[in-house]
Amino acid sequence: MPLFMWGLISVIIIQRLVELNIAKKNEKWMKERGGIERGQSHYKWFIILHVLFFISLLLESMMRDVTHVTLNYFLFAVFILTQLIRIWCIRTLGKFWNTKIIISPNFSLVSEGPYKFVKHPNYIIVGIELIVIPLLFGAYITAVVFPILHVLLLTIRIPSEEKALAEVKFSRERNENH
């Protein structure tokens, strides 16, 4: 694999590990303030999907002759843009950003930043990444399979998240009326 691929995969994996650390700290902070986790049963599938994504990406790249693959600047620019929006999502949610669904009636829902325009911007970003990153690596099968799996998981995740957010909204409205 070309050096740029090793560098890129290393940066992405380190980024994901840092994000998991942030999520763990935010989870602790939320739960200390009455946060309740929802949708636990499907969470493991997101972990499995993302681990398999990296394995598939590396295996497919190693099985193909990618020594001739050069950095596609357009795809790389799209990747950088997705990372900037990803950071925007995380910064906007602050202590409320998490990889899990954790709710609390003690806090208002965030509706600023990218959340002012789209309800679940981070899921869109992840979907784009699951296409763009493999294309940068010449891993075309991974670029097709994993976005489809991501969308299938979102058919479970988004309704779970929406139900949890509705629960928070209902609880807040009930508390305001009493």
Side-chain angles (χ1 to χ4, degrees), residues 37-48 100-101 153 156-157 160:
E37 187 175 347
R38 297 283 189 251
Q40 298 96 318
S41 62
H42 71 268
Y43 182 72
K44 67 180 174 240
W45 294 107
F46 275 96
I47 300 299
I48 291 167
K100 296 180 178 179
I101 301 172
L153 269 177
I156 298 166
R157 173 65 173 228
S160 294

Side-chain angles (χ1 to χ4, degrees), residues 51-116:
V51 169
L52 289 177
F53 169 76
F54 286 109
I55 292 170
S56 177
L57 180 66
L58 288 171
L59 285 177
E60 187 177 354
S61 296
M62 290 177 180
M63 289 172 60
R64 292 181 181 277
D65 179 18
V66 294
T67 54
H68 67 283
V69 175
T70 58
L71 181 61
N72 180 312
Y73 292 106
F74 173 76
L75 290 174
F76 188 68
V78 171
F79 171 76
I80 295 298
L81 180 61
T82 61
Q83 299 320 292
L84 294 173
I85 297 171
R86 175 189 212 86
I87 292 166
W88 187 25
C89 291
I90 294 169
R91 288 185 56 93
T92 298
L93 290 178
K95 292 279 190 185
F96 304 108
W97 180 81
N98 212 296
T99 56
K100 296 180 178 179
I101 301 172
I102 301 175
I103 58 167
S104 174
N106 300 325
F107 300 101
S108 298
L109 298 178
V110 175
S111 59
E112 54 193 33
Y115 298 90
K116 185 189 323 185

Side-chain angles (χ1 to χ4, degrees), residues 14-37:
I14 290 167
Q15 177 191 28
R16 295 306 189 267
L17 292 173
V18 167
E19 288 174 2
L20 286 174
N21 187 45
I22 292 168
K24 197 69 169 162
K25 288 178 183 175
N26 290 349
E27 175 183 2
K28 183 177 186 263
W29 184 86
M30 283 286 291
K31 288 184 174 178
E32 287 172 349
R33 286 155 183 80
I36 302 164
E37 187 175 347

